[in-house]
Amino acid sequence: MKKYLSTLTLLLSAGAAVAQEVVLQTEPFYQAENLQGQQVQPMVHGSSQFWLITSESRGLLLLDEQKKVRASFAGNFETLAWQPSIQVGDKLVDLVVSVDNESAKTRVLALDWQKPELRWLTDLPTQDAQLETLCIYAHPQSGHLSMFSLDVQGMAHERLIYDAQRQQLVDIKVREFPGVLNAKDCVADTASASLYVAEENVGVWRYPASMESDPVREPVAMLAPFGDLRGEITDLALIDDGTLLVISPKARSLSGYQKDAEAKHWQISGVQEPEAVGVWVGEQGLQLTFYDEDQDAYVSSVISEYLQSSGRRDEQLAQVSPSAQTTPVARFGDAADDPAIWLNNKEPGQSRILGTDKRAGLMVYGLDGSLLQSLLVGRLNNVDVRQGFSLNGKAMDLAAASNRTLNSISLFGIDPLSGHVSHLLEAPTSLTEVYGLCMYQSQTGTYVFINDTDGRFQQYRIAGHEGQLGAKLVREFAVASQPEGCVADDVSGMLYLGEEAEGVWRTSAEPVNTPLEQMAKTGEHLHADVEGMGIYRQGEQAILVVSSQGNDSYLAYALEPDFRYLGRFRIGLDLLKGLDGVSETDGLEVTSANLGADYPNGLLVVQDGRNQMPGAPQNFKIVDWREVELVLKSQSH
């Protein structure tokens, strides 16, 4: 096998003059008769370098530094995804996934370095439409693995294939979403939570890789005339520093893209159709291995001047896991919104969660998440509960909700013994577009605060008059822009409210005119929109929990004495229980009441804007407060 010269010309941008021409002494990397190769994955084990390649005729081949085949797996393979150092049972292996073109089966293999060997582990279910490409995504913090795949009909699929907690393979359908037609390759980046997809004659797109994000795509690199790529693209590779490499075989071009940096382009000579590239950064620089379709051979090269970027790290927040979830609302779309908790004083384990469906009405759930009642009274947005109310000498508990259908306050009675909820009446307001709502109770009465999207708040006293329940307006005030979430502390007599784009304010909850005081601003920790709020109170100590919707997190503040920031957390998935994480939370509620063996320190319930595993209409997730206590305690040191 004779040696030849390959020249890589580095261009600073598309169409720019040559800045530096580097002639590299190279040799063909690997060639065999009728190889029909495609993908290549460089890897290091111990102090030695290896390469995993695909072949339509010879299957998967593991090559060592002498280009000898050290392990193989028979089949007809083009696609390739790889994840190193995965504990499966009592074995530490590399995970390899590829589609066998003959059987259309997605093979999951173990690369066992002790022998070494490529060993079959399992097959994933065959899709109705043929898969064009696939890639693996390692979930940050948890270490779970997802496989993304794109099919010939342009649909993208995500499946969880590895449970890092139990160290075993799984097959859990997470979601599917519109991808691209003519997908040629994909790569997933854990550090930036990004999924990159190559569309052959269009360009490269980025999707958020997190299952808790909307699959909205954005262009990364486009073909001319809309971008600087020259000719169709067939393969992607990702460097550890986040640099994305793109192959354009007809133009014999390799392009590199990094966030907030100018694109780089290398013109490749000495090859005719470089279809794929594998990349690894070693002591000698950037090591590249190409598959040249024209020669039906793998070819290697090195860019010795390459310097990796450093300091790439996305924000990682502490996580808690949900303990249970409610039955989804009836329809897909933005529907579930805000929960409240009713405490059964006789049997705490029979307490209820009330949740609004802003397309239908009020839903009543047990603590196990089962749907117990549906009260279809209109487009309810926010709901709250107060107990110990009396009407005509009859004890009852009371729930109030903002009704966007009627611009009214929907009032509900709750039987103190059974928890059965009944619709009582609609109390009209003078607001034009009601939105958020919360309740307050003191020696002066029972109140409802309701706000409008224009920033106005109204406070109503709920009372009986001549045997009839009614609502009387007692106070009005406003914030400058759209509010929603609010919560009143019955112990301190303070009202906390969220202005979605600005932060958290407080004022007196009593019907007196007092100024608003801003307690927290959106910024480093609190990300707009500021949404749901709840107070966890134990005696004189109270914690305000706020939904920071902009980064899918929850912030905790100590209300006494100085509104001190305590920490923040996210709600992640629990594969053991089959529960997905939480994102884009609108409303939440929290209680410190002992609700039995499952929730002795109370619970947090939040609306889940994206209900996954598999995709379903929105619902509410329930979190054992003990998990929240642990993460807040860990941040207090």
Side-chain angles (χ1 to χ4, degrees), residues 11-17 222 224 227-230 253 255 257 262-265:
L11 304 180
L12 294 180
S13 61
M222 296 288 109
D228 54 12
L229 289 174
R230 295 164 290 160
S253 174
S255 302
Y257 298 88
E262 190 175 22
K264 295 180 179 180
H265 303 272

Side-chain angles (χ1 to χ4, degrees), residues 16 72 118 140 197 238 284 567:
S72 63
L118 284 161
V197 176
L238 194 66
Q284 297 179 356

Side-chain angles (χ1 to χ4, degrees), residues 11 253 296 350 356 367 433 498 514:
L11 304 180
S253 174
D296 191 19
Q350 295 302 311
T356 60
L367 295 184
E433 191 175 354
T514 54

Side-chain angles (χ1 to χ4, degrees), residues 303-318:
I303 301 177
S304 58
E305 299 83 3
Y306 184 83
L307 295 175
Q308 287 200 89
S309 298
S310 60
R312 194 172 68 108
R313 174 63 63 182
D314 274 24
E315 180 182 44
Q316 299 295 329
L317 300 186

Side-chain angles (χ1 to χ4, degrees), residues 554-567:
Y554 307 87
L555 275 64
Y557 298 93
L559 296 187
E560 288 96 10
D562 56 359
F563 206 82
R564 178 169 50 91
Y565 170 72
L566 298 177

